Amino acid sequence: MLALGCHLSISKGYAETVRTAHSIGANTFAFFTRNPRGSQARPEDPADAAAAVKRMEELQFAPLVAHGAYTMNLCTAEPSARAFAASVLADDLRRMAALPGNFYNFHPGSHVGQGTETGISQIVDALKAALAPGYPVTVLLEGMAGKGSEIGGRFEELRAIIDGVGDDSVGVCLDTCHVYDAGYDIVNDLDGVLKEFDRVVGLDRLKAIHINDSKNPFASHKDRHECIGDGALGLDTFRNVVCHPLLRGKPMILETPNELPGYEKEIAMLREMENK
Ligand code: FE
Ligand code: FE
Ligand code: ZN
């Protein structure tokens, strides 16, 4: 069975979110570790986390793919803001340890004019510090659309971060909207893009996929998600993605502009594609 889910709010706690995910046919989900546009996190509740872990085991859930806040820019120019972002990352990983064995994905950052090389070295520094305690969580760098000064739009940039950290456990989450917007043509040549990813980063690093259509054309560097089949990628691309032998078993997360009923429909549609 596909490891398929969507982005959900954890406002009612982890255990309740597992219930919600299961009720719409998901066997994984994503959630923001804190306010996506701020830095506020929910109070910690170990009993709730333990209940969620137990229920996910019973339901044979695939690993969750938590998402760091958009505001967490590890390579922002101002040193105190950068230090704050690094402290948020470290705190997120500490909190994620209540859900052992799951993934924590985040946007590498925007170098805001400092240059890609400087940005990458700042991201590496923050990651090394946050990974030092060795929490049982795998960190994933999200491949980006390459909007503005965003780092992570090129596979080479993801590779450079991984090399800089020098930790075998750092992985990548590819987002179908981002990768297409970044100029990797998964519509006409998914095999070629995966081959290029394997050459530059290594497919063993690919741990999760964000499943989104794109409102914008190829190589637009825009990052605007669309519902599955309604954008530039189209249904055939998603059929290829969910059926691809190299992507089998990886958690696939919808981040499409939907409420629960829309997600439920997309999950059912993608499961049907896989079964054909
Ligand atoms: Fe993201
Ligand atoms: Fe994404
Ligand atoms: Zn996006």
Side-chain angles (χ1 to χ4, degrees), residues 142 175 178 210 212 225 255:
E142 181 164 355
D175 181 310
H178 298 179
H210 286 170
N212 304 304
H225 301 185
E255 302 173 304

Side-chain angles (χ1 to χ4, degrees), residues 5-266:
C6 61
H7 199 101
L8 294 172
S9 158
I10 52 164
S11 59
K12 291 181 182 144
Y14 295 130
E16 188 57 36
T17 312
V18 171
R19 201 187 319 270
T20 301
H22 182 60
S23 77
I24 58 168
N27 54 345
T28 175
F29 62 92
F31 61 93
F32 284 120
T33 50
R34 55 188 73 220
N35 180 340
R37 313 225 168 252
S39 61
Q40 206 62 33
R42 299 178 71 251
E44 289 173 88
D45 182 348
D48 170 51
V53 167
K54 181 164 173 282
R55 190 67 185 125
M56 288 192 290
E57 262 172 35
E58 289 164 359
L59 295 169
Q60 296 187 294
F61 263 40
L64 305 182
V65 190
H67 198 306
Y70 295 140
T71 46
M72 185 183 81
N73 184 4
L74 301 176
C75 54
T76 196
E78 213 274 302
S80 69
R82 197 163 65 238
F84 178 71
S87 75
V88 167
L89 173 68
D91 191 55
D92 273 357
L93 297 195
R94 183 191 60 74
R95 286 167 166 270
M96 281 296 295
L99 301 168
N102 291 290
F103 296 130
Y104 174 84
N105 165 75
F106 71 101
H107 297 181
S110 292
H111 65 69
V112 292
Q114 301 187 94
T116 304
E117 221 171 294
T118 300
I120 286 174
S121 84
Q122 292 171 346
I123 295 164
V124 166
D125 288 347
L127 270 170
K128 278 181 165 169
L131 289 169
Y135 299 119
V137 170
T138 299
V139 167
L140 308 184
L141 311 169
E142 181 164 355
M144 302 308 294
K147 188 174 56 179
S149 66
E150 239 169 34
I151 290 176
R154 304 294 312 164
F155 294 163
E156 287 78 4
E157 294 165 4
L158 301 172
R159 176 81 242 173
I161 297 169
I162 290 168
D163 283 346
V165 177
D167 185 317
D168 285 346
S169 73
V170 177
V172 170
C173 173
L174 282 183
D175 181 310
T176 54
C177 167
H178 298 179
V179 81
Y180 189 66
D181 280 17
Y184 294 98
D185 191 359
I186 57 170
V187 171
N188 295 299
D189 189 15
L190 176 61
D191 280 329
V193 172
L194 291 177
K195 202 171 168 194
E196 174 66 2
F197 183 88
D198 193 36
R199 185 184 72 79
V200 177
V201 181
L203 272 170
D204 54 324
R205 299 276 183 176
L206 183 59
K207 305 294 187 192
I209 315 279
H210 286 170
I211 300 275
N212 304 304
D213 213 325
S214 175
K215 284 192 194 295
N216 292 290
F218 180 62
S220 58
H221 304 289
K222 284 279 207 290
D223 188 2
R224 297 263 279 123
H225 301 185
E226 182 54 281
C227 291
I228 301 305
D230 292 347
L233 273 64
L235 287 180
D236 284 342
T237 302
F238 293 103
R239 192 170 291 116
N240 293 339
V241 167
V242 298
C243 296
H244 204 289
L246 292 175
L247 304 179
R248 185 160 296 150
K250 302 192 194 295
M252 296 186 179
I253 303 290
L254 291 158
E255 302 173 304
T256 44
N258 274 309
E259 303 293 331
L260 281 182
Y263 279 136
E264 185 170 15
K265 261 190 220 156
E266 288 188 339

